[in-house]
Amino acid sequence: MSSDLTVIVLAAGGGTRMKSKTAKVLHEIGGRSMVGHVLAAVEALSPARVVAVVGHQREQVGPHIEALLPDVTLAVQEDQQGTGHAVRIALAAAGTTSGIVLVAAGDTPLLRGESLRAFAAEHEAAQCAVSVLSGIVDDPFGYGRIVRNDEGDVEAIVEERDATADQRSIHEISSGILAFDAEFLGDALPRVGNDNAKGEYYLTDTVALAREAGLTVGAFPIEDWVQTEGANDRVQLAHLGRELNRRIVEEWMREGVTVMDPATTWVDADVKLSHDVTLLPGTQLLGATVVAEDAVIGPDATLKDCEVGVGARVVRAHGELAVNGDGARERPYAYLRPNTRLDAGGKIGTFVETKNSHIGEGAKVPHLSYVGDAEIGDGTNIGAGTIFANYDGTHKHRTTVGKGAKTGANNTFVAPVTIGDGAMTGGGAVVRRDVPPGTLAVSGGPQRNLDRRTPRRAGDREAAAMGDSGADEGES
C-alpha cells in the first residue's frame, strides 16, 4: 500500500440526538471515546498525515484528539454544511494533493485497523478514482444506496432522502468510509453542489463526477458490516458497547483466558490479560488494567487502571490505580484507592479501605480498617478495626509500621508516627508517639470491674441474670 496516505477523520457533527453537553464523538464505550477507537484504527495504517475535522464543541473535541494523536492536524468547520464541505476544508489543511486520501467517520467505534488497511489496498490495486466501503444489509433504511449499472459498475451513491422507490429497495449501502485518488479529489470537491433535500455538500457526489470523467469507481463490501455502524443516540451507543464488549471478551477467551459468564463480564479495549487468567461473573476490568497469569478476578470485582500479579486473587473488591503483587489477596468489600501497593503474598481483607499506602510482602490488613498514607513492613499484621489517622485538618501525614510488627485490634495511629520492627501494640491503643522496635505500646488505663448489683425494677432481665430479684423492701 502507498506510503503517501492521508486520513481524514470527520468529527464536527453536533450529535443533537445524544442530548448531551458532551460532544457525540467523545461518548465512551470500552474505555475509549468513539473517536478514540477510530483513531486507534487509523494509527494501524501508519499514514503520512491525519487530519481531523472539528466544529461543534471543538473546544472539547480538538484537545481530546490532539492528546490521543499529537501529530494530528485539526481543521475547523465553522458551519456544518455536509461531508463534502468538511473534506474540502480538511484537504486544504493537509496541504497535499498526492497519493491516497481515506475518509472515515469519528463515530464508528468498532472499526478495525486491518479492515481499513484491506480497503485502502483494494482501492489502490483497482486504480480507482473513488472507492466506497460498502455492505450488504437486510434493512438499508437511513443509509446511502450503492447504485450499480447492468454491468455491475458503481454509478452513484444516493442518500435515503434523495432516493427513488426503486433505489430504496437496494440492499448494498455506503458506510461513509471512502478512499480517493488525491488529485481527483482536489479537482472534484469544488464542483460538488448542494442541490439536494438537505441543502448540503455530499462527499458521495464525487462518485457521479468520476463516472462523468470516465474514471473507475469501486465499491468493496465488508463482511463484518457492524464495524462501520455509528451511534447517533444513547440507545445505539449502548448497543455498540455491548457488541464491542462481546468481541473483546471472545478474543481473550480465544487467547487462553477463562471467562465464566461473558454476559456479565466487561473488559475495556486497553486491558491486558495473560494466559490462564480466570474472570468470574460480575467482573469489570477497566482502563489500562493488566492481569498476570493464574490470577482469579471476581466474582463482582471492579478494577480500573490496576496491576494484578501472578496467582493473585481479587474477590468482590474495588480497586483503582492500585498494584497487587504475586499471590496477593483482596477479600470482599475491600476498596483500594489510588497509589495502593500490595506486595507479593500480602492480604487486604474484608471492609478495608487503603489509599496512598505500601503494604509489604506477606503483610496483612485482615478486616475493618482504614489505611491511608502508610508504609507497612514485610510480614506485619494489622489488627482488626485499625484506623491510620492521617489528616490533622490541614495536612496529610504518613505512618510507618516496621517489619514483623503485630498491632492490636481497634488501634488508632495518629500520624506522623513510626512503629518499629517487631513492635506490638495493645488492643484499643491510641498511638501518638513512636514505638521503638521490639516493644509493646499500650495506652488504655487499668481495667476496673464495677459492681452492678444495684436495686432494679421487678422483672429486669439483667438483674435476674445476676441473681438479683430486683425488688427492694417497700417497692411495689
Side-chain angles (χ1 to χ4, degrees), residues 49-126:
R49 61 198 68 83
V50 178
V51 181
V53 182
V54 298
H56 183 75
Q57 294 176 291
R58 60 181 178 271
E59 69 283 353
Q60 295 179 10
V61 179
H64 177 77
I65 291 175
E66 288 178 315
L68 295 174
L69 201 63
D71 293 334
V72 71
T73 298
L74 296 181
V76 178
Q77 187 184 26
E78 295 287 355
D79 299 311
Q80 281 69 65
Q81 299 179 42
T83 53
H85 179 247
V87 171
R88 187 165 60 187
I89 293 171
L91 206 61
T96 182
T97 54
S98 64
I100 297 171
V101 176
L102 190 149
V103 180
D107 66 344
T108 53
L110 270 62
L111 192 61
R112 302 295 296 267
E114 54 264 34
S115 299
L116 286 180
R117 180 178 292 278
F119 172 54
E122 288 175 318
H123 164 80
E124 185 176 34

Side-chain angles (χ1 to χ4, degrees), residues 120-137:
E122 288 175 318
H123 164 80
E124 185 176 34
Q127 296 183 325
C128 294
V130 186
S131 296
V132 58
L133 190 63
S134 67
I136 311 298
V137 298

Side-chain angles (χ1 to χ4, degrees), residues 291-449:
V291 184
E293 63 184 11
D294 296 323
V296 180
I297 313 296
D300 306 320
T302 299
L303 301 178
K304 182 178 181 180
D305 298 322
C306 290
E307 296 180 26
V308 180
V310 174
R313 184 78 166 87
V314 180
V315 183
R316 287 192 172 89
H318 186 107
E320 184 172 355
L321 288 168
V323 176
N324 296 265
D326 295 347
R329 297 289 184 267
E330 287 179 38
R331 294 309 184 192
Y333 312 111
Y335 180 22
L336 276 65
R337 291 167 59 191
N339 202 26
T340 292
R341 178 180 166 189
L342 177 63
D343 283 351
K347 176 182 177 181
I348 294 177
T350 304
F351 293 109
V352 172
E353 179 179 347
T354 64
K355 182 215 66 149
N356 194 28
S357 295
H358 176 202
I359 299 165
E361 186 173 340
K364 298 180 177 65
V365 186
H367 31 231
L368 301 166
S369 296
Y370 169 69
V371 181
D373 298 287
E375 184 80 25
I376 299 175
D378 297 348
T380 284
N381 187 86
I382 302 298
T386 293
I387 302 298
F388 287 70
N390 57 333
Y391 185 48
D392 64 7
T394 304
H395 302 290
K396 298 289 181 70
H397 302 280
R398 289 190 73 78
T399 295
T400 299
V401 183
K403 297 179 180 179
K406 292 181 173 56
T407 70
N410 294 318
N411 279 189
T412 300
F413 299 122
V414 183
V417 69
T418 298
I419 292 88
D421 293 348
M424 298 180 66
T425 59
V430 179
V431 180
R432 295 184 174 88
R433 294 180 297 171
D434 290 352
V435 181
T439 62
L440 168 65
V442 294
S443 68
Q447 178 175 323
R448 294 184 299 160
N449 298 325

Side-chain angles (χ1 to χ4, degrees), residues 8 84 87-88 91 96-103 123 127-132 154-157 178-192 202-218:
I8 297 172
V87 171
R88 187 165 60 187
L91 206 61
T96 182
T97 54
S98 64
I100 297 171
V101 176
L102 190 149
V103 180
H123 164 80
Q127 296 183 325
C128 294
V130 186
S131 296
V132 58
V154 177
E155 291 281 353
I157 302 174
L178 296 102
F180 297 89
D181 172 77
E183 186 176 351
F184 163 76
L185 181 62
D187 177 68
L189 284 174
R191 296 187 285 125
V192 171
Y202 292 150
L203 182 63
T204 49
D205 285 353
T206 56
V207 171
L209 294 175
R211 291 295 296 174
E212 290 172 6
L215 301 173
T216 304
V217 177

